[in-house]
Amino acid sequence: MSIHGILGEQTTDYPTQYSPETLYPIARSLGRDAIGWQDDKLAVGVDWWQAFEMSWLNKQGVSQVAIARFGIPASSPFIVESKSLKLYLNSINFTEFASWDEVQALIAKDLSACVQAQVTVELFRLDDETSGLHIAQPDGVCIDDALVNSSEKVTLCAHPDASLLRDEAEARGESVISDSTQPYRFYSNLLRSNCPVTNQPDWGTLAVSITTEQPIHTANMLRYILSFRQHNGFHEQCVEQIFADLSQHYQPRALMVRAWYTRRGGIDINPCRVSDMSLLPTPSRLIRQ
């Protein structure tokens, strides 16, 4: 997948006046058609965007700063390209507003128009202890050392390879996630893919909560996650690919897949897909964010 035009250029003119036209929508169907799975099952969840370079002017002309969180429903027909969002947010740096509520309402209106769905917008003061932006830790078992006792060298894959989830690992005596409670919870800090616009690497932490009768082989799961390392895909599409692959392989009774991607341009993107909205966790922030 590739996106061409001004968004992929090395130099960009940053607007200094309010410019909602800079927001650039990208159809979710581009990624979902490539996955080739049930679109309706990929449309359950939320993409949380967290912006740490949020600023505007009050009526005195004094700069105001905040941390912003945008919630884009997975059912929206479009996502917003991240560089265009940065340009848009920069465009209000020198715009005067009477109140924080006015800023919040304007951004919600513009983002909702861009993605053609209702976007939630929250603005937090830097000392707001209720924002959920303190440093959190993923739930479950970290699987990053699952291959430490293996002599096999992991090869680079051009694209994600769901066949790596097959159960050959059991014959090799590799570890299985075992937990007396359901669902199983595990995470990896080794998720990496490439931006389809700039081809720059995107790093993230992936977390999975799954209820299934099939065994989860940690080495297989880690191999599968590593197969994304050279894949060109937006954050949301990578999470949806993983959600689809785990759904098809494990036939889970319940599934939650979420990722916290590291920040670029002051913005981090945190997609989450669930088999049922009752499984949706609260947004949070990790140490690399």
Side-chain angles (χ1 to χ4, degrees):
M1 175 185 297
S2 63
I3 306 292
H4 302 285
I6 189 172
L7 297 177
E9 293 179 2
Q10 294 298 315
T11 59
T12 304
D13 291 329
Y14 282 81
T16 56
Q17 293 183 320
Y18 170 61
S19 304
E21 67 275 6
T22 60
L23 290 169
Y24 187 92
I26 297 173
R28 288 192 189 270
S29 60
L30 289 174
R32 290 176 178 173
D33 289 349
I35 293 172
W37 199 54
Q38 305 169 63
D39 281 7
D40 59 333
K41 292 183 181 289
L42 298 177
V44 185
V46 177
D47 302 325
W48 291 295
W49 296 57
Q50 297 176 153
F52 289 78
E53 297 177 4
M54 186 76 225
S55 182
W56 65 92
L57 303 181
N58 67 12
K59 287 300 183 179
Q60 282 186 291
V62 177
S63 294
Q64 307 294 292
V65 296
I67 298 171
R69 180 186 294 128
F70 315 128
I72 302 177
S75 56
S76 67
F78 295 92
I79 60 174
V80 58
E81 199 281 329
S82 59
K83 185 174 181 180
S84 78
L85 178 60
K86 179 183 179 183
L87 294 174
Y88 165 73
L89 294 178
N90 280 333
S91 82
I92 68 173
N93 286 174
F94 305 113
T95 304
E96 293 185 1
F97 294 90
S99 68
W100 282 49
D101 288 343
E102 186 180 345
V103 180
Q104 189 168 295
L106 180 70
I107 296 174
K109 175 180 72 71
D110 291 339
L111 289 183
S112 297
C114 178
V115 305
Q116 295 187 18
Q118 188 60 50
V119 175
T120 62
V121 175
E122 299 172 277
L123 298 178
F124 302 107
R125 299 183 185 275
L126 303 191
D127 59 355
D128 189 339
E129 296 182 355
T130 67
S131 65
L133 290 167
H134 60 278
I135 304 301
Q137 175 70 15
D139 290 336
V141 177
C142 181
I143 65 170
D144 290 350
D145 292 331
L147 291 167
V148 70
N149 294 319
S150 173
S151 61
E152 173 193 353
K153 185 169 184 176
V154 177
T155 58
L156 290 173
C157 302
H159 299 289
D161 185 1
S163 71
L164 293 169
L165 295 169
R166 287 198 301 257
D167 291 342
E168 284 88 347
E170 188 171 14
R172 293 192 293 265
E174 293 174 347
S175 61
V176 177
I177 293 178
S178 60
D179 193 332
S180 59
T181 62
Q182 294 286 344
Y184 300 127
R185 295 181 175 90
F186 57 90
Y187 67 94
S188 172
N189 296 307
L190 304 183
L191 180 62
R192 182 199 188 276
S193 55
N194 294 322
C195 172
V197 176
T198 65
N199 207 40
Q200 293 179 349
D202 292 319
W203 285 96
T205 293
L206 176 77
V208 175
S209 176
I210 184 170
T211 302
T212 177
E213 296 177 358
Q214 299 189 41
I216 307 267
H217 298 279
T218 55
N220 276 2
M221 187 64 65
L222 182 57
R223 291 185 185 95
Y224 167 68
I225 293 169
L226 293 175
S227 75
F228 280 79
R229 288 183 291 185
Q230 296 192 107
H231 175 64
N232 277 21
F234 292 110
H235 304 70
E236 301 92 337
Q237 295 159 354
C238 290
V239 168
E240 290 184 352
Q241 180 73 66
I242 294 168
F243 187 90
D245 288 343
L246 298 189
S247 294
Q248 292 177 88
H249 182 81
Y250 293 107
Q251 298 295 307
R253 297 195 298 274
L255 177 64
M256 184 279 297
V257 177
R258 71 185 299 187
W260 298 261
Y261 279 91
T262 57
R263 198 170 307 142
R264 209 191 304 155
I267 299 172
D268 58 58
I269 305 174
N270 308 273
C272 181
R273 298 294 178 269
V274 290
S275 55
D276 184 276
M277 283 297 285
S278 65
L279 302 174
L280 191 72
T282 57
S284 59
R285 169 189 176 194
L286 300 188
I287 185 66
R288 288 193 293 173
Q289 299 177 309

